[in-house]
Amino acid sequence: MSDNPDPRQNHLLDALPPAERERLLPHLELVAMPLGQAVSESGMHMRHVYFPTTCIISLLYVMEDGSSAEIAVVGNEGIVGVSLFMGGETTTSRAVVQSAGHAYRLKGQLLKDAFLRAGPMQRLLLRYTQALLTQMSQTAVCNRHHRLDQQLCRWLLLSLDRLPSNDLTMTQELIANMLGVRREGVTEAAGDLQRAGLIRYNRGKITVLDRAGLEARVCECYQVVKTEFDRLLPAQHIL
Amino acid sequence: MSDNPDPRQNHLLDALPPAERERLLPHLELVAMPLGQAVSESGMHMRHVYFPTTCIISLLYVMEDGSSAEIAVVGNEGIVGVSLFMGGETTTSRAVVQSAGHAYRLKGQLLKDAFLRAGPMQRLLLRYTQALLTQMSQTAVCNRHHRLDQQLCRWLLLSLDRLPSNDLTMTQELIANMLGVRREGVTEAAGDLQRAGLIRYNRGKITVLDRAGLEARVCECYQVVKTEFDRLLPAQHIL
DNA sequence: TCTGGTCTGTACGCTACTGTACAAAGGCCA
DNA sequence: TGGCCTTTGTACAGTAGCGTACAGACCAGA
């Protein structure tokens, strides 16, 4: 995959049959996604859907008291805005850029039209939505049963899978917001990982040094989600 | 709604236009759903989908070590088996009867056919699936941030909304499995609710005495889920 | 009427967090 | 170079829930 922007860096767009992709191509607009930008707000109609290529979007729920929790994460394997084709138009969650980069956006109505053509696009979007369901389920399970250090490993691995390099730009404060825990808890867990030689970090830059080491520490949740994504959205789609 | 079994006790079936419902009616089979029965297993293909009328089904994830956590709950407002029309065929979760009663079942292929006709049935099922997404999200949030006693209130209210009476047949042990906590924790939280006069229970029978009292104690999660279900699946569907 | 099983209550030390407070270190800009 | 802000580290008491243990209450069946 080249560094030049290309819609096919997004796996959903890449998996479309050429004819379908050609139809969308003129309407896809490359946009920069700066860290922290809110792509959609809870309960608000979305004008566009987003196909990330090099950015990562977090879906998070913000509580009345302001605390938050990440529900799921969307990178170049997916799309932000499933509620448009699911029929609800809005969601209770908020979508924010967790890792800066780019995405292609498409007018909501055009996506709905494509969905309603009931072809490969529809099948693809529904399978992706099921994968998203699994990710949300597993977030619920992980929040219930697993320790912070394991959740941090899961979070790092899920992010890593959606980025081209081993570097994340991400302060501990932001990670804490995503996981819905105290910043100090992240400091401690990340310190352990650093002392174990699995990661290195420095003022908002995290480098994963030993991916296998993270996989050895992570809870089963990570593998469940990854396996399900691979099953539902294989590299070569048979639509 | 009469006590006689009627497919229209299930809100999804009730919301279909008459023509569509007539088409499905001959294929709907009323089945008894005894407490504890597994409707579907993680990773296994489902022969049928289920439209509960008087039973409640829990979707739960069972971990490698045997502990479990409820992801979502399905009653007469929904359907068990969304993975069939979403295209994945299987799920990572398990579906078990949490409250005995009845359901109508339908051969999986017939549901897929109905879905692919791309009419009201498809729109309805997709809106329901979005509501399910919200419920799962909120389970994740609640597991992260709220105390056991609030989660118990949420669980009781969600169950109550799916049953015709104020009585649940449910031991504390089972509730603990659903919530993914210790049985003793449920004993304590339920004891508090009983002392406050909100519920009465006795060896597997729980009676809700003061629903408003529960609503006063519950966290915001319950209301978020309920509002979203009402929004996506109103009593009179405009399809 | 006795017995065994299921369900509920209570207690105790332990762990993983929380809330709070403050200090130190790194980077940016005047 | 100095000063400020952001980011990270550490500490400490408080709390919710865990693992474990055990006892009492209730029910069904012999």
Side-chain angles (χ1 to χ4, degrees), chain A residues 13 34 39 58 117 213:
Chain A
L13 295 174
V39 173
S58 270
R117 283 198 286 277

Side-chain angles (χ1 to χ4, degrees), chain A residues 146-149 151 180-185 202-203:
Chain A
H146 297 136
R147 286 193 318 275
L148 172 48
D149 59 320
Q151 294 188 39
V181 297
R182 279 184 325 150
R183 193 270 309 161
E184 290 85 342
N202 184 274
R203 296 183 71 73

Side-chain angles (χ1 to χ4, degrees), chain B residues 100-153:
Chain B
H102 288 82
Y104 284 89
R105 72 180 191 188
L106 180 65
K107 284 217 169 65
Q109 190 55 53
L110 293 173
L111 180 84
K112 287 192 236 176
D113 294 344
F115 183 84
L116 289 172
R117 283 197 286 276
M121 184 71 171
Q122 183 180 90
R123 285 193 289 279
L124 199 54
L125 290 174
L126 291 179
R127 289 177 78 96
Y128 172 70
T129 304
Q130 193 187 328
L132 197 61
L133 274 170
T134 303
Q135 201 190 332
M136 290 180 178
S137 303
Q138 218 59 36
T139 303
V141 171
C142 204
N143 283 352
R144 163 86 328 180
H145 287 290
H146 297 136
R147 288 193 317 277
L148 172 49
D149 58 319
Q150 295 190 296
Q151 295 188 38
L152 178 59
C153 289

Side-chain angles (χ1 to χ4, degrees), chain A:
Chain A
M1 202 67 71
S2 98
D3 278 357
N4 294 333
D6 178 350
R8 298 183 66 169
Q9 289 176 297
N10 179 278
H11 297 174
L12 291 182
L13 295 174
D14 186 42
L16 288 175
E20 187 72 25
R21 187 167 51 241
E22 289 304 320
R23 179 144 44 177
L24 291 179
L25 222 49
H27 306 290
L28 289 171
E29 183 187 355
L30 182 68
V31 286
M33 307 290 275
L35 179 63
Q37 185 178 78
V39 173
S40 84
E41 292 286 350
S42 161
M44 302 290 284
H45 279 69
M46 296 180 71
R47 211 171 260 116
H48 300 88
V49 296
Y50 292 79
F51 296 93
T53 55
T54 56
C55 68
I56 300 182
I57 313 286
S58 270
L59 308 185
L60 36 88
Y61 178 83
V62 182
M63 301 207 305
E64 288 162 5
D65 70 358
S67 56
S68 59
E70 190 178 79
I71 302 304
V73 68
V74 183
N76 67 346
E77 87 295 348
I79 179 174
V80 177
V82 300
S83 65
L84 286 182
F85 57 82
M86 294 299 282
E89 295 290 331
T90 64
T91 343
T92 58
S93 61
R94 204 174 167 217
V96 302
V97 178
Q98 176 211 101
S99 179
H102 288 82
Y104 284 90
R105 73 179 189 189
L106 180 65
K107 285 218 169 64
Q109 189 57 53
L110 293 173
L111 180 82
K112 287 193 237 178
D113 294 344
F115 183 84
L116 289 172
R117 283 198 286 277
M121 185 71 170
Q122 184 180 91
R123 284 192 290 279
L124 199 54
L125 290 174
L126 291 180
R127 288 176 77 93
Y128 172 70
T129 304
Q130 193 187 328
L132 197 61
L133 274 170
T134 302
Q135 201 190 333
M136 291 180 177
S137 301
Q138 217 60 35
T139 303
V141 171
C142 204
N143 283 353
R144 163 85 334 185
H145 288 290
H146 297 136
R147 286 193 318 275
L148 172 48
D149 59 320
Q150 295 191 296
Q151 294 188 39
L152 178 60
C153 289
R154 171 177 64 90
W155 191 89
L156 288 171
L157 287 168
L158 285 176
S159 297
L160 217 55
D161 288 344
R162 285 158 180 79
L163 288 173
S165 81
N166 286 330
D167 298 310
L168 318 183
T169 300
M170 174 67 44
T171 64
Q172 299 181 354
E173 176 84 40
L174 284 176
I175 297 179
N177 288 155
M178 300 295 168
L179 295 180
V181 297
R182 279 184 325 150
R183 193 270 309 161
E184 290 85 342
V186 175
T187 299
E188 204 163 333
D192 287 347
L193 295 181
Q194 174 151 257
R195 280 185 287 280
L198 305 183
I199 64 172
R200 184 164 23 117
Y201 63 85
N202 184 274
R203 296 183 71 73
K205 301 275 176 196
I206 303 180
T207 304
V208 174
L209 302 174
D210 180 0
R211 193 194 154 105
L214 288 180
E215 288 179 357
R217 288 202 176 208
V218 75
C219 50
E220 66 196 88
C221 299
Y222 167 67
Q223 206 38 254
V224 169
V225 171
K226 180 153 172 48
T227 302
E228 192 69 353
F229 268 77
D230 291 346
R231 180 180 79 87
L232 291 167
L233 306 162
Q236 290 304 318
H237 290 285
I238 302 132
L239 296 168

